[in-house]
Amino acid sequence: MRGRHADAYSMYKRGTRDYINAYDKEPVRSLNGVSKEIGNPSWKRSFLYILVASLASFLYGYHLGVINETLESISNDLHFNGNTMAEGGGFLGSTFSGLIVDRVGFRRAFQLCALPMIIGSSMSATAKNLWGMLLGRLFVGTGMGLGPTLATLYVTEVSPAYVRGTYGSFTQIATSLGLMSSLLIGFPAKETEGWWRICFWVSAVPAALLALFMEFSPESPHWLFKKGRAADAEAAFEKLLGGPYVKGAMAELSKSERGGEAETVKLSELLFGHHRKVVFIGSTLFALQQLSGINSVFFFSSTVFKSAGVSSQSANICVGIANFLGSFAALLLMDKLGRKVLLIGSFSGMIVAMGLQAASASSLVSSSNEVYLSVGGMLLLNA
C-alpha cells in the first residue's frame, strides 16, 4: 500500500515537472510588467470574483458592528452583555483557515465559512435565552475567523499584478461597508421591540449569496497547480486574465512551484529559522492593531459616546464614515505609495489617536475639552 502511494506521488511530481519544463522552454510575456505587445490583462475579468470574495469581509464587518446598536435591546431581553463567544469562534476559525484551504481549496473554504455564519445568525435571531445567543455567536465567530484570511489570500492569487494592491483594499472597504450597514440597520433597535432579531436575520442573506456565487467562481490557479491540476489552472487563468496571458501566468507559476519543491518550510523554521523575522514583523503588526483597542470601538462605541453625552446614532455614523474614508484612501494610494509608506502613516495616526484619548483622561484637560479629545481620538483610531 505504501509503495502504491509513493508511485502515485512520484507520478504527480513528474507531471508537475513536465508542465514546468514545457513552459520554461517557451518564450512568454511577463505579467508583472507592461508588455509592449498585448499590455496588461483586463481588470474587468476578475472584478466580479473579487466582489464575491469581498462578501466574506463584508460579513466580518457586519458582525463586528451588529451588537453595537442592538446591545441594549439584547441585554434587556436576554441579559447579553458582550461578544466573548464570537472572539473564541474567531480564534478557532483563523487557526484552522490555512489547513482548510490546503485541503479543500478556496471555493469550498468560502462555502464552509458561510455555513456557520448562516447557522449562527439564525440561532442568534431566534435565541430565547443567553446560551442560545452565545452559541450562535460562537458559530458566527468561526466564520469570522475564516473569512478575512480567505478573502485576502484569494484576492491576492486571482488579481492581475498591476491592480493587486487596489483589489486588496476592496476587502477592507467591504469590512467598512459591513460595519456601516450593521450600524444603520440597527438604528430602530431601541424603539422597535425585537428589531435586533431582524438585524441578525439580515446577515444570513450575504452569507447565502457568498456560498451560492462561489459555486460559479474560479478556483485559485495557485492551489490547482499545487495539487497537480495544471490543466485546471490554465482554465482558471483563462477565465481570470484572458487567453493571451495564460502561458505567461503559467510560466511564473511554474517558477514559484519549482522554488517550493526546492525548499519545504516547516512550522519550526517559520518560528526559529531564517523566516522568523518576516513572521515576527507580520504578527507584531496585527497584534499592535488589535492592542490599539479598535474592536472596542466596533463593539461598544454607542455606550462610550452615550457616556460622553454624544448621540449614539450620530456618533456611529461618524465612526462608519471615518472607517470608510480610511479604507478608500488606502484604495487610492496602495499602488502609488506602496505598503510600507501606508503602514508607517497608519501606525503614526494610531499613536496620535491613542495620545488624544490618553490626554482626555488626564487631569490636565478641562471637562469641556475632554469630550472633543476622546471622540476625536476614537474617530482617528477608527480611520
Side-chain angles (χ1 to χ4, degrees):
M1 183 65 74
R2 176 181 289 183
R4 193 175 303 167
H5 284 304
D7 291 343
Y9 178 76
S10 63
M11 287 177 64
Y12 151 67
K13 299 304 285 185
R14 285 200 303 271
T16 301
R17 283 194 293 268
D18 289 343
Y19 270 92
I20 293 175
N21 294 333
Y23 282 108
D24 282 347
K25 292 176 181 177
E26 296 186 31
V28 296
R29 303 178 180 96
S30 173
L31 291 179
N32 292 324
V34 179
S35 170
K36 294 181 180 180
E37 298 179 23
I38 57 176
N40 284 316
S42 173
W43 57 269
K44 298 178 182 178
R45 299 185 70 95
S46 56
F47 181 71
L48 288 178
Y49 308 123
I50 301 300
L51 293 182
V52 172
S54 296
L55 282 174
S57 295
F58 177 89
L59 285 163
Y60 177 79
Y62 187 94
H63 282 290
L64 276 179
V66 69
I67 292 295
N68 200 317
E69 278 289 339
T70 60
L71 182 59
E72 184 177 336
S73 300
I74 299 174
S75 298
N76 293 334
D77 291 349
L78 305 177
H79 307 292
F80 175 73
N81 295 306
N83 273 319
T84 306
M85 296 298 282
E87 293 170 357
F91 175 77
L92 292 175
S94 59
T95 300
F96 295 105
S97 58
L99 179 63
I100 293 173
V101 170
D102 286 340
R103 291 291 179 86
V104 302
F106 281 92
R107 293 170 63 230
R108 294 294 176 254
F110 272 114
Q111 292 172 331
L112 288 174
C113 161
L115 183 60
M117 286 192 169
I118 296 172
I119 295 173
S121 298
S122 303
M123 293 179 68
S124 296
T126 57
K128 302 297 183 183
N129 53 49
L130 174 62
W131 287 106
M133 172 60 73
L134 290 177
L135 188 58
R137 295 300 288 170
L138 178 63
F139 273 95
V140 165
T142 304
M144 290 173 68
L146 282 169
T149 305
L150 292 176
T152 301
L153 291 173
Y154 183 80
V155 168
T156 299
E157 294 191 5
V158 304
S159 300
Y162 73 102
V163 290
R164 192 165 292 152
T166 301
Y167 276 178
S169 300
F170 276 33
T171 57
Q172 181 58 40
I173 288 180
T175 302
S176 302
L177 292 176
L179 175 65
M180 291 179 65
S181 298
S182 66
L183 296 176
L184 292 173
I185 293 173
F187 281 166
K190 295 177 181 178
E191 290 77 28
T192 306
E193 184 178 357
W195 183 261
W196 61 269
R197 298 184 185 275
I198 301 296
C199 296
F200 283 104
W201 278 122
V202 167
S203 65
V205 176
L209 292 176
L210 174 62
L212 175 63
F213 291 150
M214 263 299 151
E215 191 65 29
F216 305 100
S217 299
E219 183 55 79
S220 164
H222 296 256
W223 182 83
L224 291 169
F225 196 83
K226 181 181 176 182
K227 294 298 180 180
R229 297 164 56 182
D232 292 334
E234 287 183 4
F237 271 133
E238 186 170 3
K239 196 172 184 179
L240 291 165
L241 304 176
Y245 302 91
V246 172
K247 288 183 179 180
M250 289 297 293
E252 292 186 6
L253 195 55
S254 70
K255 292 177 183 177
S256 64
E257 172 68 15
R258 183 164 50 193
E261 285 183 8
E263 181 181 8
T264 301
V265 181
K266 299 178 180 179
L267 179 61
S268 59
E269 293 176 357
L270 289 176
L271 298 178
F272 306 108
H274 63 274
H275 299 284
R276 67 183 185 279
K277 185 179 292 186
V278 175
V279 174
F280 174 77
I281 292 174
S283 301
T284 302
L285 290 176
F286 277 110
L288 289 174
Q289 183 187 41
Q290 296 303 307
L291 290 172
S292 70
I294 188 62
N295 284 343
S296 299
V297 177
F298 294 149
F299 292 150
F300 305 116
S301 64
S302 293
T303 305
V304 174
F305 283 120
K306 184 178 179 180
S307 65
V310 180
S311 167
S312 64
Q313 291 190 359
S314 301
N316 283 332
I317 290 176
C318 292
V319 166
I321 291 175
N323 189 268
F324 177 79
L325 290 177
S327 302
F328 191 72
L331 171 68
L332 297 178
L333 300 175
M334 181 71 73
D335 287 319
K336 295 180 179 179
L337 300 180
R339 279 73 164 168
K340 185 176 180 179
V341 173
L342 290 183
L343 276 174
I344 293 173
S346 174
F347 280 99
S348 299
M350 288 169 62
I351 292 172
V352 174
M354 299 297 287
L356 290 175
Q357 291 182 316
S360 69
S362 70
S363 58
L364 301 176
V365 178
S366 63
S367 57
S368 59
N369 294 325
E370 179 181 332
V371 174
Y372 297 108
L373 287 177
S374 179
V375 172
M378 183 173 289
L379 292 178
L380 181 60
L381 179 65
N382 195 59

